[in-house]
Each structure stands twice: as C-alpha cells, then as structure tokens.
Amino acid sequence: MLCQDCGKRPATLHFTKIVNGEKSEFHFCEACARERGELIPGTANGFSIHSLLSGLLDFDPPGGGAGHVSHPLRCESCGLTYSQFSKVGRFGCSDCYRYFSGKLDGLLKRVHGNTVHVGKVPQRAGRMIRSRREIDRLKRELQERIAREDFESAARIRDRIRELERRLAEG
Amino acid sequence: MEKRRFAREAISEWMRHGGPDSDIVISSRVRLARNLSGHPFPMLATNHQAREVMEKLTGAVRAGKLDEIGKFDIFVLDDLTELEKQVLVEKHLISPALANESRCGALILDRTESVSIMVNEEDHLRIQCLYPGFQVKEAWTKASRIDDKFEEAVDYAFDETRGYLTSCPTNVGTGIRASVMMHLPALVITQQINRIIPAVTQVGLVVRGIYGEGSEALGNLFQVSNQITLGQSEEEILDHLHNVARQMIEHEKAARRRLLAESRLRIQDRVCRSYGILCHAAVIDSKEAAQRLSDVRLGIDLGLIPDVPPAVMNELLVKTQPAFLQQTFNETMTPEQRDVRRAEMIREHFRKFRYGGA
Ligand SMILES: [Zn+2]
Ligand SMILES: [Zn+2]
C-alpha cells in the first residue's frame, strides 16, 4: 500500500477519521506523517500517533466575525488564546478546558465521537464523584425495581441511596 | 565511564520472558497521561514551574510510593549524555520528545524496564507499562495501580465531565493509549495485510508500522492501538483492542498454517536463506537486516530453524540501531561504516547459537 500523500513510499501509518461527517481512511508514509504533524514535537517510534492525529484535527475557526478580534477568547489562568490553541493543538493548562468549554464539545465530538468521560475516577480525590455516580446508578435500578413491582429490593436500594446521600452530605 | 544499567543490554529484562501468544504478539503496552492540578502543562511552564512538578513527582517515588510495585531508578534527563538518551529512545523507554525537547524532564525506570514513567514530556506524567506477549489487560492493571500510588501523593487535574485533563485533546478522558505490537510476516507474504489494515482502522483503531532509520515499515512489525480516549471506559477500550487484536492473531496463524501446508519448501528456502545471510554477510543495511530477522523469527516460530531463541529478532533490531551500535563499538560512524558494524554484530550474535555457545 503506497502513501496517499506522496504516492511513492509505502504507507506505514493507518487510521480513519470523521471528516465532514464521513469516515475517511488515511494511509501515510513516515515522512508525510511527520510533515503533517510538524507543529508537534516528537515523531517516530510509535509514541506520537496522537500528535499526528491532532495535526489533522478540524479546529473551529478562532473568534467569531471580524468585529470580535478585540476580545479574543483566552484562558485567564495561563494566558493561552483559543487561536493559539488551534495552532499548536495543545492546551496551556487544565483551566483552558473551562475557558474554551463553549468550543470544545464540537472538537471533542469530532475527535472522539463523544464529549463526556465515563472511565476511571481518581481513587482519593474521586470518592465524592464515585459516590454520586453510584447514587445515580442505584436510582436507575430503583426505578426498574419499582416498575417490576419488586418492592422489597426497592426498599433496600432506597435505604442504600439514603445512606450514601447522608455520607456525601457529611463530606 | 561506567555504563548505566539500561545501556548495557539491548533487550529489557521483561522482554526475555515469553508471554501468551508470543509467537505473534511481541509486546503489549499501556500508557496513561496525567497532569497535576494547579500547574501549567509543560509546554507553557516556566523552568521554575517545570522543576516544581519534577520534584513533586520524583519526590513521591523517593518517599517510597512505588516500593510495592518494584525497584525504581530516577534519571534526570539533563544528567544523561546525548548517546544515553538515544539508547533510551531506541529501546522505546522514552519518547524522542522527552529526549530532545523536554525541560526538567525525568525518567523513572524500574529495574526490569517494564515500567517507564516520563516526567514533563507533553504531560506532567506519562506512566507506561510493558508486558511480553498478549497481555494488554495486565499492563492496564499495573499502570492503574501505579496511577493510584501517585495520586496518593499529588492532586491530578481531573474534571468530572472531561475526565483526566491532558495537554492534547486527543488524550483527554481516560488518558489511555493501549497498544499491541505484532509480528505479522505471513499476512504480509500473502498480502492479506492490505485487506486487514483498512478493516482494523474502520473500527477505530490505529495501525502503525515500526521504523528504523529510514521511512519504511521494518521487520513486518505492526503496532495496533486505540484512537479514542473519551466517552468509553478503560475496560471498553481494552476489550475492543483485545478483540480486534485476537482476530488479527487468528488470521496470522491461519496464514502461517496455509503457508506451511501449501508452500513449505518455498518458505523453508526463504527463511533459511535469510538465516544464512545474517550469519555471513559483511555489509547489511537496517532495512535488509530487519527483513532477514523477520524471516528468521518466522522460521523459528514455524519450527524450521531450531536452536535459536525467538527473542533474537527484537534484541538485534535494537542492538543494530545507530546509537546502540555507536556505544557498543565506542566510535562515531558514517551510515556505511554502520552497515559493516551491523553485519559484524549480527554475525557474532548468531555464532553463539551455531556453535553451541551461551
Ligand atoms: Zn508519503
Ligand atoms: Zn490555560
């Protein structure tokens, strides 16, 4: 399989990406991959596939119309503007996620097909989050049990929810 | 100068042991990206801020946080020579970005080299666990344990909606990149690989050839990894990778069986010729070396070449990279001189097996 960019060297990097709502395949050789990912440090040896992918991201154009240039969207913590972010493909700090949140749903949807994390939560700092998730889960289960008229276990689940909510309130 | 432990051997301790399906899967890797809250990401950190992050993270290790996991050494990148850094890159223990572009970068490496933790690469913390053979879930379990140990000592940048916040939006959420490195010579010989790669990318995985000095995939080695990190749990991501890799393994196995059944003599001729060339060549470039080593490895796995350990391919692929050659022969080389030294290194290596040495 030859590289789709230069058509000369064999392609060694293969992936698909959603472009304008359609799935497209990409097959690049190392040299062309590097060229497209040039804004991003580090190529070769398989560490940098995400770098290349980010080189191909479709960022929303920075700023609104021409009238908004005087107030560029900016992270107040680190000073990075959205326009700089869209050039380098890197956030400056974790607060950038809050300051740019209005534009992120579209971007994340294109990259991941999703916008909300459902995986691991930190062990120590995430105790509250895990309790809240557990309560949500139990509430759904409670509804199911009630719908099935399984009132005995519904009562048990309700007690469990109260217990978790009490502990959450106490911190 | 005394060579550091990691520079003495081309093949990491963990690599010497086979794993499940290790006739096809060379290694499984899980990498987790994490950042500390309240500190700018490395790209925008001042030197002072970067040093603070390095001291917090290496401090946690010095305080014994990882003692249950293994024995770790801490290397500050600025204390390493250029050659040592390149050797670490060639062994895949650090990224070229950490080696060449980091500020206050550090490597926290366990003695078997199966855990390598990068500090101040693109993210504050990159935890990487490597296992021999097909063991992605084992790699994840270990990486996650290490993750928990660090989190006892530091506050992570974590958001309930977006998950672990990373420097690059392609890593946000779980911050996980899981990959399986496979040797697929039979799929390449039968050209089925051209059908399989697009199919694998269609289900959201990335396939990548492994490189040497040039720009071509070397040695029929392919790395398959997840592309998506947000909106799926780690378990879902790993299950998906696991299932797809499992199918690729089965295809490779079937292709090998067919090769043996339908063209045994041709395949035997091919692998034995390559074995002969590696044992006797006086000049060999990295591309040919990788192809011949792949042939020999296939011959070993098919039972056509006895008495040579399968790890020979990986070991020699690393040993014959530029920095490793340079440090072995203790001289700087032109590419032409390298091809001579490479051939010499490979001949010496194979002599051990042919005359019943080590
Ligand atoms: Zn190309
Ligand atoms: Zn910021």
Side-chain angles (χ1 to χ4, degrees), chain A residues 5 9 18 23 25 35 42 45 62 74-75 78 94 138 146 149 163:
Chain A
D5 241 24
R9 291 174 290 260
I18 311 281
K23 232 181 203 179
E25 284 181 23
E35 209 158 277
N45 291 334
R74 177 190 293 273
C75 168
C78 71
S94 49
L138 288 171
I146 291 171
E149 302 189 356
E163 166 71 12

Side-chain angles (χ1 to χ4, degrees), chain A residues 2-11 27-33:
Chain A
L2 287 177
C3 170
Q4 68 185 59
D5 241 24
C6 61
K8 285 183 210 133
R9 291 174 290 260
H27 308 279
F28 294 128
C29 73
E30 174 73 352
C32 293

Side-chain angles (χ1 to χ4, degrees), chain A residues 75-80 91-97 99-100, chain B residues 44:
Chain A
C75 168
E76 296 301 330
S77 297
C78 71
L80 191 80
F91 295 107
C93 75
S94 49
D95 290 338
C96 292
Y97 281 91
Y99 287 102
F100 302 156
Chain B
L44 286 193

